[in-house]
């Protein structure tokens, strides 16, 4: 199985801050890494696919990057609507399709 | 409007069975793979099963293999999850999620349902 290690588990930040969330994969994903946003009581929403491609309708303050087996989600100029939990997911292999443990982004 | 709506959740005793449904609308159902993902209370996301558009390819997570069965009905544009021999640790919100088989978002989960809660209790 491909293991995904996501950090930090909790992140406190203020409106206007720039934050970074990281996921490390146990093996190469060939870029097949997605980021999802989930708000309490709601379904996850696809933000980023193929490591760095922004899904339709997602604000441009969200971005993703890849360096080997390390993947990063960056949110520039945090908005009140961005406080949520974020998950990475590898979809390179149904070995299974694993999610990271999640990062809860809280208001400082 | 592209939409997925789950149903069939509820309270069931340990060892019991339940069948979840996910009704799709607003897109060509057969052109997409479909997944079930669950989330235990206060926990993260766990992928549990996939079925291809043609139904030829099916995968399960080890945690549900041999107990859960995924299927789909082209005419009803629905995907199902038959859950047998339920355990307390199966308690979760169950989401269905669409997986494009082509295009830029191929293989990511681009549309999710609202989820249905399954509670397994003795």
């Amino acid at each position: 199985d491909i293991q995904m290690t996501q950090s930090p588990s909790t992140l406190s930040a203020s409106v206007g801050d720039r934050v970074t969330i990281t996921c490390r994969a146990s093996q190469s994903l060939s870029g097949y890494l997605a980021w999802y946003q989930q708000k309490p009581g709601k379904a996850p929403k696809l933000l980023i696919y193929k490591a760095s491609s922004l899904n339709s309708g997602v604000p441009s303050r969200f971005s993703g990057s890849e360096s080997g087996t390390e993947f990063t989600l960056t949110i520039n100029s945090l908005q009140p609507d961005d406080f949520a939990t974020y998950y990475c997911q590898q979809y390179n292999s149904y070995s299974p399709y694993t999610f990271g443990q999640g990062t809860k982004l809280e208001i400082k | 409007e592209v939409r997925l709506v789950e149903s069939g959740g509820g309270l069931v005793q340990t060892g019991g069975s339940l069948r979840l449904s996910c009704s799709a609308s607003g897109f060509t159902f057969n052109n997409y793979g479909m997944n079930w993902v669950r989330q235990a209370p206060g926990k993260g996301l766990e992928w549990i099963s996939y079925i291809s558009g043609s139904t030829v390819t099916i995968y399960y997570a080890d945690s549900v293999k041999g107990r859960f069965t995924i299927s789909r009905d082209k005419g009803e544009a629905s995907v199902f999850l038959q859950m047998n021999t339920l355990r307390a640790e199966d308690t979760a919100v169950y989401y269905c999620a669409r997986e494009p088989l082509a295009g830029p978002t191929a293989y990511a989960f681009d549309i999710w349902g609202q989820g249905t809660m399954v509670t397994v209790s003795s």
Side-chain angles (χ1 to χ4, degrees):
Chain A
D1 293 9
I2 298 176
Q3 307 302 319
M4 303 300 298
T5 304
Q6 184 174 342
S7 62
S9 56
T10 306
L11 184 55
S12 296
S14 301
V15 172
D17 284 354
R18 176 176 182 267
V19 299
T20 297
I21 299 169
T22 299
C23 255
R24 180 171 280 111
S26 60
Q27 63 189 72
S28 172
L29 300 183
S30 301
Y32 287 102
L33 188 284
W35 290 97
Y36 299 87
Q37 177 193 65
Q38 186 180 33
K39 295 182 179 178
K42 301 294 186 183
K45 171 189 168 184
L46 177 64
L47 297 176
I48 302 278
Y49 60 92
K50 214 50 170 74
S52 59
S53 297
L54 204 62
N55 195 23
S56 176
V58 175
S60 59
R61 61 181 180 273
F62 290 89
S63 63
S65 65
E66 171 187 7
S67 177
T69 59
E70 185 167 296
F71 299 84
T72 301
L73 172 69
T74 299
I75 312 172
N76 287 301
S77 188
L78 271 173
Q79 299 300 300
D81 191 51
D82 300 337
F83 292 94
T85 300
Y86 293 85
Y87 294 92
C88 63
Q89 179 211 22
Q90 70 82 15
Y91 58 105
N92 178 62
S93 166
Y94 266 116
S95 71
Y97 271 12
T98 36
F99 291 90
Q101 299 88 340
T103 296
K104 186 176 182 180
L105 177 56
E106 300 178 329
I107 300 176
K108 186 184 290 184
Chain B
E1 179 194 4
V2 174
R3 202 168 176 222
L4 297 173
V5 178
E6 300 94 336
S7 61
L11 176 63
V12 61
Q13 286 192 324
T14 303
S17 298
L18 213 53
R19 187 184 191 229
L20 305 184
S21 300
C22 169
S23 178
S25 59
F27 62 96
T28 306
F29 183 64
N30 291 347
N31 290 351
Y32 293 84
M34 296 297 296
N35 293 270
W36 286 96
V37 177
R38 69 183 180 185
Q39 186 170 38
K43 302 297 184 182
L45 301 170
E46 179 190 15
W47 170 84
I48 57 171
S49 189
Y50 163 82
I51 185 167
S52 64
S54 64
T55 74
V56 168
T57 302
I58 287 175
Y59 297 111
Y60 298 100
D62 287 346
S63 58
V64 305
K65 200 174 295 181
R67 300 187 300 122
F68 290 10
T69 302
I70 193 171
S71 61
R72 62 191 293 163
D73 185 301
K74 173 183 175 180
E76 291 186 21
S78 294
V79 61
F80 307 100
L81 188 68
Q82 177 66 42
M83 305 186 297
N84 297 331
T85 319
L86 283 161
R87 306 166 179 167
E89 55 264 35
D90 295 318
T91 294
V93 174
Y94 284 73
Y95 297 100
C96 61
R98 187 182 84 164
E99 180 180 330
L101 302 178
T105 60
Y107 313 118
F109 296 179
D110 68 343
I111 301 293
W112 297 61
Q114 85 288 351
T116 187
M117 181 71 202
V118 172
T119 303
V120 184
S121 176
S122 56

